[in-house]
Every structure is written in C-alpha cells, then in structure tokens.
Amino acid sequence: MKKNCIVIGSGFASLSAACYLAKDGWNVSVYEKNDSLGGRASQFVKGGFTFDMGPSWYWMPDIFDKFFADFNKKTSDYYQLDKLSPAYKIFFSDDIITIGDSMDKICVEFERIESGSSKELKKFIREAQINYDIAINKIVLRPGLSPLELVTKETILKVDQFFKTISSQVRKRFKNPKLISTLEFPVLFLGAKPSKTPSFYSFMNFADFGLGTWHPKGGMYEVIKAMQNLAIELGVTMHTSMPIDKILVSNGKATGVSSGGKIFNADVILSGADYHHSESLLEQKYRQYSEEYWDKKVFAPSSLLFYIGFDTKLKNVEHHNLFFDTDFELHAKEIYDNPQWPSNPLFYANFPSITDTSMAPKDCETGFFLVPIATNLEDTQDLRDQYFELIMNRFELRTGQNIRNNIIFKEIFCVNDFKERYNSYKGNAYGMANTLTQTAFLRPNLRSKKVTDLYFTGQLTVPGPGVPPALISGKLVSELIIKDN
C-alpha cells in the first residue's frame, strides 16, 4: 500500500522532495501558507511588470540539469535558459568591472586592473573547479548524519582548506582591492563574511567564472512553475492558503498536521518551512533545539528589497549589477559583528527586462534593489524611506542618470515581511550561514532526533543556503525517508 507524506511549504527544497517521493510511489500532499507556491522564491506581478521576489541568480546550471534528469526530463522541457553576456557589472567609486561570459574575457578585465593577475586567476579557478567537483559530486550528496561523511580521499588532501579562509587565500594572490572584492563576492551567497568562510568554498568562484550566470526566460519563478508541473505530473497534490498550525505527534511518532481546525493524517511529515518555525509547531518536549541554540547560530543576512516599475529604459546598467562603491568591510561588520542599520551599504540592482523583454511593458524597466542587512533589526517605514533615498542617490550618481521621476510604483519588503510571509527566524533572508562550525553534520538535522517519521529540508539544514543546495536538500531528505520506510 502507498504511504502518505505531507510536505509543509513549497519552496525549492519542498518541491524537490515532493517530486522524488512521488517518483518512488508515495502519495504526497504539499501545504503552503501563502496563496501561491514557491516559498521565498515567490513572484510579484503588477501592471505588466514581473518580479522575482527572492532568488534572482541562476548559478550552477548543472544542478538544475541533474534534478530534471532524475525524472527523465530536461530544463528545456519547461523553460528557456539563456547565458547572460556580460554576467554582471560591479560599480566601484572610481571604476566599473565587467564580468564577461567567458574566462578569456574575465582575464582581460583582471589584467586591466592588475598586471599579471590573469595568471593567478586561472590557477585560482582551476583549484576552485577541483573543489567544485568534490563539493557537488561528493560532499553535498551526503545527508549530514556523521562527521565521517566529510572524510574521503579527496577531502583529506583538502583538509587545510577547511581551516583557512576565502579572504586569506584571495588576498595572498591579488593585491588590488577591487579584484579582492570581486572574488570575495560569491561567498556572500553562503551567508557569511569571507573572513569566516572556509577557503574550500572557493568552488563558488568556479560556479561564477567557470559556469557563468544564466537567466530562465520569464524569471526564476519559471523554475518553480516547472517543478510544480513536474510534481503534478508525478501525482503530487498542492494546497495553497493553508498555513499549518500544529504538527501532531502520538507516542513519539508524527501522525499528521492541523490547519484551520482541520486535521490531515499522514505516515510521514516533512517540513520545508523555516526550521525554527517548524519546531515551534511541536510541543516543547518534541523540539530538538532550544531558543538558546538558535540565538547563538550565525544567520545569513536579511534584506531590504525594493521592487520598482520604471516607465523608461535605464542606461549604463546590465541585468545584474553590484554597487561596491563603499566600504565592503564596514558593511560586513554592521551585518555580523555589530548588527545595525548600515551606515553606507553595498547594494545589488537587478533589471531582468534588459535581457528579457517579457518581464516589463514595452519601453519600461523592471527594477529590483537589494540591500543586505543584519537580521532582526527594527523595521519602520521611516527607515525604509531613508534607505530608498540613499540607494537612489548612489544609483543615479554611479550610472549618470536621473530616474526618480520615472518610477511608476515601488513596493518594499524587509525584516517584518520575511517574518510574516515566510515565518523566517529573525527575518533572515537566506537561512543559516555556512561557517566551519555550521557545515554538514554540524547543521540542524534532516531527521528529527525526538519524533519518528518527522523530517526537515531547506536552507537551515543540509547542505545549506542557496537554490542549488535547496534542490539537493530535497533529494537528500527524500532518500532518507525512503530508506527509513
């Protein structure tokens, strides 16, 4: 007889797990609290403008390819994928670095900034590629149950890289601060300072320079729609606008969930919702981790986000743009070391309609601005407005254009919204940081240690933050569930 699994949440990890379990013959039901699927990868549409509310970088295309291949499908069965050229621009106070769509183009740009740097860059990326192969084909495919999972003949040779930092390794090879910032940027996706991130994670630099930056036509939400369609093809049922208020446990075994006074029973419960929130749905005695545990963990930043519709095409920008025209170190300290609203923040600006005209009306631009900030900050309208002015001033200065009069509308999303919409712990945007003491088996478990048949997936557990890791997390937990049952 088929077994039943209830999946709480519908982000990348939840949908991934739902597909793998359904493929194995399970009856799978997904329950989402919001009115549309996707979790933090939601979509916002207004007046012909389309915004990805969360992830907007499509990196590691091989991970997406592998996911769909597991179901004898291809990404092209569901969405069109284009490689961005250039991948992105980085604005500094006195220069702009353009990251091209090939190593040759990137090497030329590095040489322009620092003579002889291209030789070091090629060596660095070759080593990063070896790390990528070990990470993606060995380490991340393990469920984080034991420290021995990290011990392979490949990782033994790399053990020193778990105790050195990205920052130290980059600074050993490159002297120009702009190139250092360019190479330290990708680990920000892992949610920690480069000076706290093991140098093994240089594999993110290979993901960036080696594999390139891509864009699914219509935006990242097309991937969510693809996974939803695949899940439905496999027999998964979807329920939206159904927040779960309790995980039911009987004699130490998860037996179901309740939503709005109704009870839904299942053989296995899997939560892809925020891990801290998921445990709050249990009686105290069934929770694995205390409030003190969560409070001591290093969380990836939250974000202040502006979604803006412009009635004109913008100049001097690309699809992805990073504004590193202020003090990188100071901003990092104001996120991690001394949490406060940043005095002069770095920020990111995304204009997908530059390469994908389907995402904005004709002669208009879809704009998404992101300021990384510490978690759990005070979030008021005054602060949101203050930072909007600060960001717009810098954007207009660096790109040489006045755009405020071209704003049709703007929507703002910040700490309070992350808490309310996603039940996000302290309003974090990206989950728990991948520091040395929060890697692999040192992260919260995929399987509950206190409740039988209760499992977790997503960015707070194994393997960590980011969209490709979320796809892998869903696969890992599904394999664990299948093995246990």
Side-chain angles (χ1 to χ4, degrees), residues 41-59:
S42 300
Q43 186 183 63
F44 167 54
V45 179
K46 183 173 180 177
F49 294 86
T50 301
F51 301 85
D52 284 313
M53 291 186 71
S56 59
W57 293 76
Y58 192 106
W59 272 9

Side-chain angles (χ1 to χ4, degrees), residues 228-390:
Q228 176 187 354
N229 290 336
L230 173 61
I232 290 168
E233 287 170 43
L234 292 163
V236 177
T237 56
M238 308 283 183
H239 307 275
T240 54
S241 301
M242 289 194 72
I244 300 302
D245 41 57
K246 197 170 182 188
I247 295 172
L248 306 174
V249 179
S250 178
N251 298 321
K253 180 197 176 325
T255 57
V257 297
S258 69
S259 174
K262 292 183 180 172
I263 288 175
F264 303 92
N265 295 311
D267 300 297
V268 166
I269 307 299
L270 166 62
S271 183
D274 178 277
Y275 205 124
H276 172 271
H277 170 72
S278 301
E279 286 224 313
S280 77
L281 303 175
L282 293 161
E283 287 180 54
Q284 190 75 45
K285 64 182 177 182
Y286 294 127
R287 297 175 195 174
Q288 305 167 87
Y289 305 107
S290 66
E291 286 301 315
E292 291 75 24
Y293 169 90
W294 291 112
D295 193 48
K296 284 177 182 168
K297 292 296 161 189
V298 179
F299 273 79
S302 187
S303 297
L304 170 59
L305 301 161
F306 300 103
Y307 308 105
I308 303 174
F310 295 97
D311 67 5
T312 188
K313 299 302 286 182
L314 301 187
K315 298 179 298 189
N316 307 325
V317 287
E318 298 296 342
H319 186 124
H320 295 294
N321 309 270
L322 300 163
F323 288 80
F324 284 9
D325 51 329
T326 59
D327 189 337
F328 189 106
E329 288 293 317
L330 176 63
H331 189 179
K333 282 177 186 166
E334 290 171 337
I335 291 174
Y336 297 106
D337 302 338
N338 183 22
Q340 60 185 286
W341 278 92
S343 40
N344 210 2
L346 284 65
F347 67 95
Y348 158 63
N350 170 241
F351 307 104
S353 46
I354 286 176
T355 54
D356 183 353
T357 55
S358 72
M359 297 193 73
K362 192 173 185 302
D363 298 324
C364 294
E365 211 84 271
T366 290
F368 165 110
F369 293 76
L370 181 154
V371 182
I373 57 173
T375 55
N376 228 20
L377 292 182
E378 178 190 20
D379 174 12
T380 66
Q381 190 61 47
D382 282 350
L383 282 163
R384 294 175 176 208
D385 293 341
Q386 176 189 330
Y387 278 83
F388 177 73
E389 290 304 316
L390 189 151

Side-chain angles (χ1 to χ4, degrees), residues 412-431:
I412 308 176
F413 199 92
C414 198
V415 174
N416 292 347
D417 303 295
F418 279 101
K419 291 177 182 177
E420 189 279 323
R421 185 176 172 88
Y422 308 129
N423 292 313
S424 167
Y425 180 69
K426 292 186 177 180
N428 80 81
Y430 307 102

Side-chain angles (χ1 to χ4, degrees), residues 75 86 89 154 211 339 373 425:
T75 54
K89 264 186 180 177
E154 295 89 357
L211 298 176
I373 57 173
Y425 180 69

Side-chain angles (χ1 to χ4, degrees), residues 62-73:
D62 51 321
I63 305 293
F64 296 85
D65 292 342
K66 284 175 186 170
F67 171 78
F68 286 103
D70 282 344
F71 303 91
N72 297 314
K73 302 283 187 181

Side-chain angles (χ1 to χ4, degrees), residues 108-151:
V108 169
E109 188 73 335
F110 266 55
E111 280 295 323
R112 178 180 73 80
I113 304 287
E114 183 181 314
S115 179
S117 61
S118 63
K119 188 178 170 189
E120 283 296 330
L121 179 64
K122 284 175 185 169
K123 279 197 321 208
F124 182 69
I125 296 300
R126 269 199 303 274
E127 290 166 18
Q129 182 171 5
I130 294 166
N131 287 357
Y132 186 87
D133 181 54
I134 295 169
I136 300 307
N137 296 315
K138 305 272 193 322
I139 294 176
V140 300
L141 298 176
R142 300 178 180 198
L145 301 177
S146 157
L148 296 177
E149 291 173 4
L150 292 176
V151 182

